[in-house]
């Protein structure tokens, strides 16, 4: 039976994870650590939104928690990292600009879940 208030990819149930970070890059070792952190985000399906902001769409809160835990397990020893989860509805209300030109927000692609 179809419930009009529930869909598999509901804008209020699906989430975006945003990762904000400022990592030290003074030494070669620090640059390597920062680069490794970014690479782990990319390997986990995140994409760059801005230079130090990465984002990932998650179809459910449970899926978002899995990715948040991965981030926490890969935190560098130094630097500032913020992890924020917002609903797809909230993300869709964001206004984006390139210079003075307004652009549309990215729509998440339909993803298959395999059990």
């Amino acid at each position: 039976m179809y419930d009009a208030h529930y869909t598999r990819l509901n804008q209020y149930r699906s989430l975006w994870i945003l990762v904000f970070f400022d990592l030290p890059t003074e030494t070669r070792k620090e640059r390597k650590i920062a680069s490794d952190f970014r690479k782990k985000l990319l390997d986990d399906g995140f994409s760059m939104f801005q230079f130090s902001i990465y984002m990932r769409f998650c179809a459910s809160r449970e899926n978002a928690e899995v990715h948040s835990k991965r981030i926490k397990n890969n935190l560098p020893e130094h630097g500032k990292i913020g992890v924020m989860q917002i609903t797809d509805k909230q993300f869709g209300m964001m206004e984006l600009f390139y210079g003075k030109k307004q652009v549309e927000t990215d729509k998440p692609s339909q993803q298959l879940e395999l059990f």
Side-chain angles (χ1 to χ4, degrees), residues 6 29 34 54 62 71 78:
Y6 176 80
K29 181 180 178 183
Y54 283 67
E62 296 79 17
I71 295 165
H78 301 286

Side-chain angles (χ1 to χ4, degrees), residues 82-99:
V83 179
M84 180 170 61
Q85 297 179 11
I86 61 173
T87 66
D88 187 43
K89 181 71 172 175
Q90 292 168 319
F91 186 83
M93 293 186 312
M94 181 175 18
E95 292 183 289
L96 294 176
F97 299 88
Y98 288 115

Side-chain angles (χ1 to χ4, degrees), residues 36-69:
D36 288 346
F37 181 71
R38 284 190 297 272
K39 185 177 181 320
K40 287 175 185 172
L41 289 173
L42 292 170
D43 289 345
D44 195 28
F46 284 81
S47 57
M48 186 169 66
F49 183 69
Q50 291 183 356
F51 290 123
S52 293
I53 302 173
Y54 283 67
M55 65 182 187
R56 185 185 201 291
F57 177 77
C58 295
S60 68
R61 185 164 307 281
E62 296 79 17
N63 184 248
E65 286 304 317
V66 167
H67 294 287
S68 290
K69 285 180 185 176

